[in-house]
Amino acid sequence: LCAAMACSTPRGGHSSLAGGAGSSAAEAGPGSFRRGDRVQIWSQSQGAWLEGRVELVLTEATPSEDGIVVPKGSVRVATARSVMIVPPGKAAEVLRPVSDEAALVAVIGPGAGVRANKPVYQELKQDARFRVQVLGGRGENYDRYPEYWEGGSPAPNLESFAAELASQGVIARSDCVVAGSRGGQVVLPHLWRALGAAMPPAVVVNGGCAMAMPGPAVQWPQNAVTILLLGGDDYFRSGTPPREYVMNARKRVPSANTSTAILYVREMEHMPQTSLMQLLLRPLLLVAIYWRASGRAPSFELRSICRDLEASGWNGQLSFLEASGSWAEVNFGAAGAEQPDSPPHAKARAGERSAKNYEMEAQWEEERASELEVKVAEKEKELNLLRGQLADAREKARRLKEAAAREAHAAAAAAA
């Protein structure tokens, strides 16, 4: 995974430096890395920083099983999938310390708008209060609905992608999860089923987990901390009256749950406007993390978010649970969730925004088609190469058979 790595073994396997004479753990090493430190290590192949933990710092040069001498001061780092050794000369380049006080935010790439709202996620990564790990991406071979959805596909799909995330443990180690669109419809419900009470809080853009969907019933954990962000101009709403849209989402929350908030923003589109996400994402993450840690409804913080939305010209309604079955409501802006779709000029503006949603979706699909065309071209090259190798192998076999036949004929003639 890392160009600077001296050796790598699968997680759960044995590193060539595990045990044996000469390998020992230093309390501190070059770059002030210590055993047990949380770090991020650069993955050349994935082009991303991976979460890890320092297992040891070598106090002397140590030979590996394959004869390579790993220099003194090398740092052994364990990630979710492998163990890596970083030479001291590369540590400053490919390792960076992580504060235990920074919250780890896992972003489910497909559907989260990582590209469309790139400035929002860049700001999140630059905020010292958070560590961000984007998991997966749009357009990958698993970025498609499961078979039980109309037009769905067998694995790899979003459900198998979710299963892999759950098995890796990266979600369970996170402090909060961000999911949007299909990530909220497919990935989050699977993570809920797989992790149950161990599932961290989630901020769900578009509220996909609270929709009527095909396939297995959503097993919403009773202790889940969930913040749904719903949009009045989101095509997920499908023309449902605003109040009914919010109430339908409420009905899907478990009756014993006490830690769910539903934020409805009248002007929000399926891909939330960048200015809206810049205003909301970090405060919602902090609210979700605090809610889980304290077990108390963050009423003041949620109401403060509504005030900020109203001050910035947004309209809508907040619903949140103060106790089991007890919903508090806060309207902000003009008319909250009951904001009418009239007069006619308002309908026209809504129609324009709906058209923009479709145009944006079309653009995403065109980009995905272009990415797939590149992959198809690469596979065709591989296939043509294999076809050439197959033809060569068949020709070689034919010639060898002919040579064998000639030799057999000559041997028979000599015997006669």
Side-chain angles (χ1 to χ4, degrees), residues 207-259:
C209 59
M211 297 175 64
M213 296 180 290
V218 175
Q219 298 177 19
W220 195 313
Q222 289 189 358
N223 71 325
V225 175
T226 313
I227 299 179
L228 307 180
L229 179 58
L230 307 184
D233 285 333
D234 186 344
Y235 60 79
F236 272 16
R237 183 182 147 205
S238 301
T240 306
R243 178 69 177 177
E244 183 180 344
Y245 186 41
V246 173
M247 293 304 294
N248 287 343
R250 281 197 202 179
K251 292 175 183 177
R252 299 188 183 280
V253 179
S255 58
N257 182 267
T258 60
S259 49

Side-chain angles (χ1 to χ4, degrees), residues 391-401:
D392 291 343
R394 285 175 173 169
E395 177 62 19
K396 186 175 181 179
R398 184 188 65 80
R399 291 176 180 175
L400 290 171
K401 286 181 179 179

Side-chain angles (χ1 to χ4, degrees), residues 298-308 318 320 322 328-330:
S299 175
F300 175 82
E301 292 82 358
L302 287 168
R303 293 173 189 274
S304 177
I305 289 172
C306 291
R307 289 193 293 271
D308 290 341
L318 167 71
F320 65 96
E322 293 182 310
E329 294 185 358
V330 180

Side-chain angles (χ1 to χ4, degrees), residues 4-8 16-17 58 60-72 74 85 87:
M5 173 176 58
C7 63
S8 174
S16 58
L17 294 179
L58 296 182
E60 59 188 62
T62 306
S64 63
E65 293 176 354
D66 53 9
I68 298 175
V69 176
V70 182
K72 174 183 177 180
S74 295
I85 307 297

Side-chain angles (χ1 to χ4, degrees), residues 363-374:
Q363 182 179 353
W364 295 339
E365 292 302 324
E366 287 175 353
E367 291 178 3
R368 185 184 180 194
S370 298
E371 293 170 353
L372 291 173
E373 284 175 358
V374 172

Side-chain angles (χ1 to χ4, degrees), residues 172 191-201 219-225 292:
L191 293 173
W192 274 346
R193 290 197 301 272
L195 300 178
M199 180 69 190
Q219 298 177 19
W220 195 313
Q222 289 189 358
N223 71 325
V225 175
R292 166 58 64 85

